Amino acid sequence: MGEQGPDGGRKTAKATRKAAPAKRVTAEKDAVKKAAKKTAPAKKTAPAAKRAVAKKPAVAPKKATAAVKDVAPAKTVAAKPPRGESRTALVRRARRINRELAEVYPYAHPELDFENPFQLVVATVLSAQTTDLRVNQTTPALFAKYPTPEDLAAANPEEVEEILRPTGFFRAKTKSVIGLSKALAEDFGGEVPGRLEDLVKLPGVGRKTAFVVLGNAFGRPGITVDTHFQRLVRRWEWTAETDPDKIEAAVGALFPKSDWTDLSHHVIWHGRRICHARKPACGACPIAPLCPAYGEGETDPEKARKLLKYEKGGFPGQRLNPPRAYLDAGGKPAPPLGSG
């Protein structure tokens, strides 16, 4: 039976058969047009695809896998520890970092040359605003001429200034070391006291200096919050504090008291050798998987290796007379003043 037309009549079967081929032709033309539209943009977007491929290396996953002399190869870097990590997770991560640094620096020690508590307290006061190396190159002449607190207390300030000139701020430092020597001679019988409350009363001696002396001359635990220590513990997100006393309290709470002195050495050594302020050697860092700041520095292993300092980079250390363990580990003594 035929279909009903628009006028209410009926189409014939012949008319219906004629309309069918026309619809097929139209459908074929539409298909050709759609195919043309799909294929045309592909040619225009080809250069963009090439540009995307060229940029791909810039966003490659960051890894630290290179082995460095005396530094264990870093593992593939995992995701950064979460900002909201629990107290328990923070303690575990902090202690693991310290354990791994202890394996990297088993010979860590104070990098100031000293033979007794008096030499250590003077050298630590002189280390402000200069390097331990410069202090170590300067103190041999100072202690040869003034071996005791009584000798330095009676010294001519101008002669002391001339000796201390290489350390910078030599006038202020001269005043401090002569002043603390007088205090030792007059108030403590020429002996360096072994208590924090007594040490901080000496001219030029603050908590940082006091803990260096207590930890390394008397074997009493203390945390040394110097510039390296402050930078690294914030970089590792152990604390967000900026005041040295608050940093000391926050970090001290993460570790047993017996760990404090060695912890200070481990962190300071790592800051001087690998985790530098401006260009940390992330690609050569053995604790990269535990560091929230991984990627702030050079991540390419070969380039990172060139940033290593002191014994890690094959260079001399800061002490003219380093401990035997340091020399056995491949460390080199620092050259004396004026040797080039």
Side-chain angles (χ1 to χ4, degrees):
M1 191 175 190
E3 297 177 6
Q4 187 174 355
D7 56 355
R10 294 192 177 276
K11 293 182 181 179
T12 63
K14 185 177 181 180
T16 302
R17 285 195 298 273
K18 286 183 180 181
K23 288 182 181 180
R24 283 197 298 272
V25 171
T26 301
E28 289 173 0
K29 288 182 179 180
D30 289 342
V32 171
K33 287 180 181 180
K34 288 180 180 179
K37 287 181 181 179
K38 288 181 180 180
T39 56
K43 294 181 181 180
K44 294 180 181 179
T45 56
K50 290 181 180 179
R51 285 196 298 271
V53 172
K55 288 183 179 180
K56 189 175 181 180
V59 294
K62 300 170 184 175
K63 294 184 179 181
T65 56
V68 179
K69 182 181 179 181
D70 294 328
V71 179
K75 304 168 187 175
T76 301
V77 178
K80 294 181 179 181
R83 292 281 178 179
E85 72 179 335
S86 68
R87 176 73 178 179
T88 300
L90 171 60
V91 170
R92 288 175 177 170
R93 182 168 62 87
R95 294 185 182 185
R96 184 180 172 191
I97 286 176
N98 187 42
R99 288 195 302 271
E100 298 206 9
L101 291 180
E103 294 180 4
V104 177
Y105 311 107
Y107 44 78
H109 56 268
E111 293 193 89
L112 290 168
D113 283 322
F114 70 99
E115 296 178 355
N116 54 57
F118 171 62
Q119 291 187 0
L120 180 57
V121 70
V122 170
T124 307
V125 169
L126 296 178
S127 68
Q129 304 298 315
T130 191
T131 63
D132 287 356
L133 171 59
R134 184 61 69 186
V135 173
N136 292 335
Q137 292 174 326
T138 305
T139 51
L142 179 71
F143 296 139
K145 192 168 185 177
Y146 311 106
T148 68
E150 291 81 3
D151 294 325
L152 190 51
N156 182 333
E158 292 182 358
E159 294 179 1
V160 176
E161 286 178 2
E162 194 57 34
I163 295 174
L164 300 184
R165 186 180 293 272
T167 66
F169 303 96
F170 58 91
R171 291 189 179 88
K173 291 179 179 179
T174 294
K175 184 177 180 180
S176 292
V177 298
I178 289 180
L180 75 85
S181 296
K182 287 181 178 179
L184 290 175
E186 296 171 2
D187 302 332
F188 299 99
E191 299 292 334
V192 176
R195 299 195 312 164
L196 176 64
E197 54 267 37
D198 292 329
L199 284 169
V200 295
K201 293 177 183 177
L202 300 174
V205 177
R207 288 179 68 87
K208 184 192 83 169
T209 298
F211 281 131
V212 170
V213 175
L214 290 173
N216 298 289
F218 294 97
R220 296 176 183 173
I223 293 178
T224 303
V225 185
D226 73 347
T227 54
H228 299 288
F229 193 94
Q230 292 183 49
R231 182 180 76 251
L232 266 63
V233 298
R234 286 198 297 269
R235 186 173 275 174
W236 294 335
E237 295 186 10
W238 288 3
T239 179
E241 299 290 350
T242 56
D243 177 76
D245 291 350
K246 291 181 180 179
I247 291 174
E248 176 196 325
V251 175
L254 301 176
F255 296 88
K257 193 172 182 179
S258 58
D259 289 351
W260 287 356
T261 299
D262 286 340
L263 168 71
S264 300
H265 291 323
H266 298 154
V267 175
I268 292 170
W269 276 59
H270 193 61
R272 286 176 172 169
R273 284 152 177 78
I274 296 177
C275 195
H276 314 306
R278 294 184 181 178
K279 292 188 72 175
C282 294
C285 181
I287 60 165
L290 302 171
C291 181
Y294 175 80
E296 286 187 9
E298 180 57 65
T299 58
D300 179 83
E302 292 300 323
K303 293 179 180 178
R305 186 159 34 240
K306 295 177 182 179
L307 299 175
L308 302 180
K309 295 182 180 179
Y310 303 110
E311 80 282 356
K312 293 304 177 187
F315 305 111
Q318 299 201 75
R319 290 188 64 165
L320 278 66
N321 299 298
R324 184 75 252 169
Y326 179 72
L327 298 174
D328 291 343
K332 302 175 184 178
L337 190 65
S339 63

